[in-house]
């Protein structure tokens, strides 16, 4: 589990692409103060497992499922990435509950200066937007942020200079794709509320198929 508080900006050193997968070599500094094979590290919000490391570079495998749900497939050698090690049990919980399991991607559709702050407006699909609420939490490329505005098709966050400096948001432009992870609490509540309806629908479909198959 992660908190969405980025520890440092890393850099892609090498990418080995497979048919539907890839292997990333990522350079960093701070995270190497305590890193082991098998550790979980969030890379732009995506939980990846350290498979090897040497000096200040670690390697992680990225499977097809992850590439299809996130923006990791668009990374290039030299790309900057947000890095966060898994949360320590005795650490401060400075952000919100972030699993590192990306729900989907969004597109930056507007960037505006507002005195010392910067507003980012991001468009996203309905399946993501239904969990995004004003003053709720959202992880953007692994960064724990508060939703300041929301409508049916997009939402906005306002970030302080420190966040811009310490994360890759300052490198982003309009049209760029970002990883989004919804607040897990909203997803659980939605599942509990709709659980019976979903089960009844599945059972109804199974019954219908059975009747058709047996000539009823």
């Amino acid at each position: 589990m992660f908190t969405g508080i980025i520890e440092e900006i890393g850099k892609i050193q090498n990418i080995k692409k497979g048919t539907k997968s890839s292997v990333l070599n990522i350079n960093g500094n701070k995270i190497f103060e305590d890193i082991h094979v098998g550790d979980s590290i969030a890379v732009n919000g995506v939980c990846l497992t350290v498979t090897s490391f040497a000096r200040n570079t670690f390697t992680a495998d990225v499977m097809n499922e992850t590439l299809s749900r996130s923006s990791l497939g668009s990374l290039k050698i030299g790309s900057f990435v947000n890095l966060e090690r898994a949360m320590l049990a005795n650490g401060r919980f400075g952000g919100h509950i972030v699993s590192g399991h990306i729900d989907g991607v969004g597109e930056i559709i507007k960037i505006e200066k507002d005195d010392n702050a910067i507003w980012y407006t991001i468009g996203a699909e309905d399946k993501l937007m239904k969990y995004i609420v004003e003053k709720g939490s959202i992880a953007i490329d692994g960064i724990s942020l508060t939703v300041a505005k929301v409508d049916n098709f997009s939402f906005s966050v306002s970030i302080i200079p420190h966040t811009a400096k310490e994360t890759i948001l300052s490198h982003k432009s309009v049209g760029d794709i970002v990883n989004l992870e919804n607040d897990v609490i909203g997803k659980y509540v939605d599942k509990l509320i709709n659980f019976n309806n979903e089960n009844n629908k599945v059972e109804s479909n199974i019954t219908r198929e059975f009747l058709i198959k047996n000539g009823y």
Side-chain angles (χ1 to χ4, degrees):
M1 186 175 75
F2 307 91
T3 68
I5 305 300
I6 303 304
E7 295 188 87
E8 68 170 316
I9 296 175
K11 191 175 184 179
I12 301 297
Q13 294 285 68
N14 191 44
I15 302 174
K16 182 180 179 181
K17 293 189 176 182
T19 304
K20 294 184 178 180
S21 62
S22 65
V23 179
L24 302 179
N25 285 51
I26 304 169
N27 178 262
N29 290 297
K30 185 176 181 179
I31 63 169
F32 285 87
E33 295 170 2
D34 180 23
I35 188 173
H36 307 86
V37 171
D39 281 356
S40 295
I41 296 181
V43 179
N44 282 358
V46 182
C47 179
L48 298 180
T49 301
V50 176
T51 57
S52 66
F53 66 94
R55 296 188 179 88
N56 280 19
T57 302
F58 75 92
T59 300
D61 294 311
V62 185
M63 59 185 176
N64 182 39
E65 165 71 3
T66 305
L67 291 175
S68 66
R69 284 184 176 265
S70 74
S71 66
L72 292 189
S74 64
L75 291 175
K76 302 175 182 177
I77 294 175
S79 292
F80 293 106
V81 290
N82 291 323
L83 299 177
E84 181 193 355
R85 288 168 291 183
M87 175 186 172
L88 292 171
N90 63 347
R92 285 192 176 92
F93 207 140
H96 72 282
I97 298 173
V98 178
S99 68
H101 303 151
I102 301 303
D103 292 301
V105 297
E107 181 182 348
I108 298 175
I109 57 178
K110 186 187 294 184
I111 300 175
E112 301 177 281
K113 283 280 292 181
D114 182 15
D115 196 9
N116 69 332
I118 305 174
W119 283 85
Y120 288 82
T121 300
I122 297 169
E125 295 180 90
D126 290 347
K127 64 180 182 180
L128 301 178
M129 289 302 305
K130 73 174 184 176
Y131 297 116
I132 300 174
V133 298
E134 189 172 322
K135 302 306 177 185
S137 296
I138 185 77
I140 301 175
D141 275 346
I143 309 164
S144 174
L145 294 167
T146 300
V147 177
K149 297 178 183 178
V150 62
D151 58 32
N152 291 332
F153 311 102
S154 65
F155 67 95
S156 300
V157 295
S158 181
I159 69 168
I160 60 175
H162 175 79
T163 304
K165 179 183 176 183
E166 298 298 323
T167 72
I168 63 170
L169 270 182
S170 58
H171 299 278
K172 296 292 185 179
S173 304
V174 171
D176 284 349
I177 302 300
V178 292
N179 293 321
L180 300 177
E181 182 185 332
N182 293 118
D183 188 349
V184 69
I185 296 174
K187 292 186 284 186
Y188 276 123
V189 170
D190 180 61
K191 179 68 174 182
L192 288 170
I193 291 174
N194 294 294
F195 182 75
N196 286 332
N197 290 336
E198 290 175 1
N199 275 357
N200 290 337
K201 185 177 180 180
V202 170
E203 290 173 4
S204 176
N205 288 337
I206 292 174
T207 301
R208 188 181 301 109
E209 290 175 4
F210 174 82
L211 293 174
I212 293 172
K213 183 178 180 180
N214 288 277
Y216 293 102

